[in-house]
Amino acid sequence: MRRSLRQRLFFILAGSVVCAWLATALFSYFDTKKQIDEMLDASLVQAAELILVLMAELETGEVRAKTVFELPTNHAQMIAYRVWTADKHLRIASPNMPRITTDSWQKGFSNKVIENENWRFYGIENHHGVHVEVGQRYDFRSTFAKNVATHLFHPVWFAIPLLAILIWLSVSWGVAPLKVVTKNVIKRSADDLAPLNTRNVPSEIMPLIEALNGLFSKIGKLLEKERRFTADASHELRTPLAAIRTHTQVAQHARNEKERMDALDRIKEGTDRAVRLIEQLLVLARLDHQSTFGAQGKVNLSDVVIQAVLSENTHSMEKNIDLGFSKRTDEEALVVGNADLLMILVRNILNNAICYTPEGGTVDVSIEKSDECINLRILDTGPGIPEERRNRVFDRFYRIEGSGENGCGLGLSIVLRIAEMHGASVHLTDNPMGQGLCLIVAFPS
C-alpha cells in the first residue's frame, strides 16, 4: 500500500492540533477547577461572616431568629451551617448540616469525612465566643466544576470537524504544485529532455525540480554520447568490412595463386582489424555503463604488468621491438582496483606503444612508488605526439594523421576511462631518454 503525502501531512497536522487542544483542555479544566474552588471557598467565608453578623443582630433584637433559618440552604448550593454559643451549646443548624460534635470545630478552612462524604468547612468566631461553621460537600464542587468545563468545551466538538476540513483543504492546496510538476512530466514526450520550468515553484520542492533537471541533462548527454558512439562505430566498422569485401572479390577473380594469396592475406588483416575494433567497442560500451569497477581488492600492479608484457611479447617480436619491464622498488606496488580492468589498461598502453614504435625500437615499462602515488611509466621510441594534440588522443576514434597505423582510435580512451574508475590520472610527456613518448598513469597509494 502506497502512502499518501497528503494523508501524511493531514494526520500530522490534525494530530498535532488535537494533542495541543487536549493539553489545553486538560490545563483549562484544572485551572477552572482551581478557580471554582477559590470562588466557593470565598462563598463559604461570606456565608460564615453573614451568619456571624446576623447572630450579633439577633442578640440585640434587630432581626428575628427565623431570619437566620431562612438563609439559603437549597440543594443546588449544598451549603450547610451551624452556630454554637460561647458555652458550646448548639444554637442554630441548617437541616442539611451533618452531625458533628462541638470539639470538631476548627478555625479557618478544613477538610473532613463525615458519613462517607467529603466536606469542606470554614470556621469563624466573634469576640463574644460565638462559633460559626459552614460547610459544602466536595461532590457538589466537582460536579459544578465539571459542568462549567463541559460548557466551556462545547464549541470544541463543532470546531474539530471544521478544523479537520480546513486542514485537509489546506494540505491539498499546499501539495498542488507537486501535481503540476507531475502533469508536466507526464505530458512530455520520451525525447523531450528540456529542463522543467522553475517559475513559481515553492522552495520546498525546488531541490526535486533541480534534481530532475540535472537528471534530464545527464540523460541528454548520455543519449548524445550514445548517438555519437553508434555513428562512429558504424563508420569505423564500415572501413574494414569494405576492405574485406573488396579483397574477397579480388580473391574470387584472381588470375594466379600469388594474387589470390595476397588477397587472402588482406582479408585476414581486415578481419583482425574488425575483430580488434569490435573487442574495443565492447570493452568501451561496458565501461560506459559502469560507475564502479565491480569486484575490487588489493592488486599487485607488478604482477599485472608482467602478465601484460608476456601477452604482448609476440606482437613486439613481430616488429623486432625490445619490450621490457623494470621495477624500481622492491616493495609490492599494491593498488585498490579490479585486476581484469587493470590488465586491459596495461595491454592497451603496450599495444598502442608497440604499434607506433618503428621496428628495432624499444618499449620500456617501469613502476615507481612514492608516499603519494604509484606511477606506471611506459617509455617508447616512437614518433611521439605533438604537445598540442596530446589531449585529443584520448578522444574516441581519434587517430593522428600520417602515422601510418590502422588502429581503431579507442585504446587510449579505454585507458583513460579505466584510470578514472580507479581514481588515477593519465599524463603524456616527452621521453626523457630521447625521441619518443612517455605515458604515466598515477594511482593513489
Side-chain angles (χ1 to χ4, degrees):
M1 179 178 177
R2 295 182 179 177
R3 301 181 64 182
S4 169
L5 179 60
R6 181 187 302 172
Q7 292 178 358
R8 177 183 173 87
L9 291 174
F10 171 76
F11 285 120
I12 290 175
L13 293 175
S16 300
V17 171
V18 170
C19 290
W21 270 10
L22 289 176
T24 303
L26 191 63
F27 172 80
S28 299
Y29 171 76
F30 286 110
D31 185 64
T32 302
K33 188 175 183 302
K34 179 182 177 182
Q35 297 295 331
I36 290 175
D37 286 340
E38 292 176 355
M39 180 190 69
L40 294 177
D41 282 347
S43 69
L44 290 179
V45 173
Q46 291 177 356
E49 292 176 347
L50 176 60
I51 292 174
L52 200 61
V53 171
L54 291 175
M55 292 304 300
E57 294 178 354
L58 179 63
E59 296 293 335
T60 61
E62 295 182 14
V63 299
R64 298 176 293 109
K66 187 178 178 182
T67 303
V68 180
F69 287 99
E70 290 174 351
L71 286 172
T73 59
N74 56 45
H75 181 73
Q77 288 184 329
M78 293 299 294
I79 295 179
Y81 59 88
R82 184 172 297 187
V83 181
W84 285 275
T85 60
D87 53 1
K88 296 185 179 180
H89 289 292
L90 181 64
R91 179 72 181 276
I92 301 172
S94 64
N96 59 345
M97 187 70 176
R99 295 180 181 180
I100 54 177
T101 63
T102 307
D103 296 335
S104 65
W105 181 89
Q106 294 180 12
K107 187 175 181 180
F109 289 103
S110 61
N111 298 319
K112 301 175 183 178
V113 180
I114 305 174
E115 298 177 355
N116 296 324
E117 291 182 342
N118 294 319
W119 284 79
R120 176 76 164 170
F121 287 102
Y122 178 74
I124 191 174
E125 64 176 331
N126 62 12
H127 60 281
H128 296 295
V130 178
H131 295 71
V132 177
E133 187 174 40
V134 295
Q136 195 172 55
R137 287 165 53 183
Y138 263 107
D139 58 350
F140 165 75
R141 287 172 167 247
S142 299
T143 302
F144 184 65
K146 181 179 179 181
N147 291 336
V148 172
T150 301
H151 283 83
L152 285 175
F153 291 103
H154 273 165
V156 172
W157 307 115
F158 300 97
I160 287 179
L162 178 61
L163 184 61
I165 295 174
L166 292 176
I167 290 176
W168 180 261
L169 294 176
S170 299
V171 170
S172 300
W173 176 77
V175 299
L178 289 176
K179 291 186 175 181
V180 175
V181 173
T182 303
K183 290 180 180 178
N184 291 336
V185 174
I186 291 176
K187 290 189 299 184
R188 284 174 169 249
S189 60
D191 57 348
D192 185 4
L193 297 175
L196 294 171
N197 188 6
T198 58
R199 182 181 300 176
N200 299 326
V201 173
S203 59
E204 288 77 8
I205 64 172
M206 181 61 75
L208 174 62
I209 303 299
E210 292 176 349
L212 286 174
N213 288 338
L215 179 61
F216 291 157
S217 177
K218 291 178 182 178
I219 293 175
K221 293 178 180 177
L222 180 61
L223 290 177
E224 180 62 26
K225 191 175 181 179
E226 291 290 343
R227 282 192 286 265
R228 291 200 309 268
F229 180 81
T230 302
D232 292 340
S234 301
H235 174 75
E236 293 296 324
L237 281 171
R238 188 180 297 113
T239 301
L241 292 177
I244 292 172
R245 178 184 178 87
T246 301
H247 291 297
T248 301
Q249 293 174 344
V250 171
Q252 289 176 340
H253 300 87
R255 290 171 292 183
N256 53 60
E257 187 65 19
K258 182 179 180 304
E259 188 176 342
R260 182 179 296 106
M261 292 304 296
D262 289 340
L264 291 176
D265 289 339
R266 301 289 82 75
I267 292 174
K268 182 179 180 301
E269 291 177 2
T271 304
D272 291 340
R273 181 183 176 189
V275 170
R276 174 65 176 170
L277 177 59
I278 292 172
E279 290 176 348
Q280 297 286 67
L281 288 173
L282 291 175
V283 170
L284 198 55
R286 179 164 62 92
L287 294 176
D288 280 342
H289 291 84
Q290 284 185 248
S291 57
T292 60
F293 37 72
Q296 57 178 307
K298 291 286 187 179
V299 180
N300 191 345
L301 191 59
S302 298
D303 294 340
V304 174
V305 172
I306 291 173
Q307 295 178 21
V309 168
L310 292 175
S311 64
E312 294 295 326
N313 190 51
T314 302
H315 186 194
S316 64
M317 291 178 64
E318 291 176 353
K319 294 189 64 175
N320 191 25
I321 291 176
D322 181 14
L323 174 61
F325 170 51
S326 59
K327 184 178 178 184
R328 300 186 184 180
T329 175
D330 295 332
E331 301 178 7
E332 291 184 333
L334 297 178
V335 297
V336 178
N338 182 282
D340 294 334
L341 292 181
L342 291 174
M343 176 63 71
I344 294 174
L345 176 142
V346 178
R347 288 195 61 181
N348 272 278
I349 297 174
L350 294 179
N351 183 272
N352 196 72
I354 293 171
C355 286
Y356 286 92
T357 299
E359 291 188 9
T362 60
V363 175
D364 183 59
V365 186
S366 63
I367 295 177
E368 298 177 355
K369 186 176 180 181
S370 65
D371 294 336
E372 293 79 17
C373 61
I374 297 175
N375 291 326
L376 171 64
R377 186 187 303 268
I378 295 91
L379 301 175
D380 66 55
T381 56
I385 301 175
E387 187 173 352
E388 65 274 9
R389 295 187 180 182
R390 288 175 183 172
N391 289 331
R392 291 210 57 194
V393 294
F394 294 102
D395 295 341
R396 297 177 181 184
F397 303 106
Y398 178 79
R399 289 189 295 272
I400 299 177
E401 297 179 1
S403 62
E405 294 297 327
N406 295 321
C408 57
L410 293 175
L412 291 181
S413 297
I414 294 174
V415 169
L416 182 62
R417 176 61 179 149
I418 296 176
E420 290 174 346
M421 293 172 66
H422 286 76
S425 58
V426 183
H427 309 282
L428 294 176
T429 63
D430 293 328
N431 189 338
M433 307 300 294
Q435 182 179 353
L437 185 71
C438 175
L439 186 146
I440 301 173
V441 182
F443 294 91
S445 59

